[in-house]
Amino acid sequence: MSLPIHPHLLVLRTAATLVLSVLIGQVGWAAAAIGGDPSYFGTHRWWAWLTVAVCLLSLVAYVVLRRSAGTVLLVLAAVVAVLPLVQIALAESDLVALHIFLGVLTVMVGTALTSWTYRHTLPEHATAA
């Protein structure tokens, strides 16, 4: 049995989907807390570390498969891995407005990573290997 797509694309698409999923989850916990139940801030806080872990593991996948991923996807994966760390620093510094703005930007970059990854085809040098 053969896969309908190249295994590298399967790994990259799975990684991007997981990143977008935890980013959306993080936004959901924030919305629940801001929406009137501050007890969700605790969940939002620990989910942030889960988000960092998933984003960093995703970056590892993109680095390992960098020849298949290409420059654009590699840069997007790196940016989406760094932004949650900046988010945590902003939250610890009580810079709420900037934290919310950068949170929206982070989800946008995660969406771009996912979109570009799903539209990506393998470069010629990657398919020959």
Side-chain angles (χ1 to χ4, degrees), residues 28-109:
W29 294 121
I34 291 171
D37 190 350
S39 67
Y40 284 111
F41 279 123
T43 307
H44 179 67
R45 190 171 291 115
W46 71 258
W47 192 273
W49 290 106
L50 174 66
T51 302
V52 167
V54 169
C55 290
L56 289 175
L57 287 172
S58 173
L59 176 60
V60 169
Y62 277 87
V63 169
V64 168
L65 299 174
R66 65 189 169 276
R67 289 188 57 163
S68 296
T71 307
V72 172
L73 293 181
L74 190 59
V75 168
L76 284 171
V79 171
V80 85
V82 170
L83 286 175
L85 292 168
V86 175
Q87 282 290 88
I88 289 173
L90 291 173
E92 293 297 321
S93 302
D94 286 329
L95 298 170
V96 177
L98 191 54
H99 175 77
I100 292 170
F101 172 76
L102 196 64
V104 171
L105 184 63
T106 303
V107 174
M108 291 171 64
V109 174

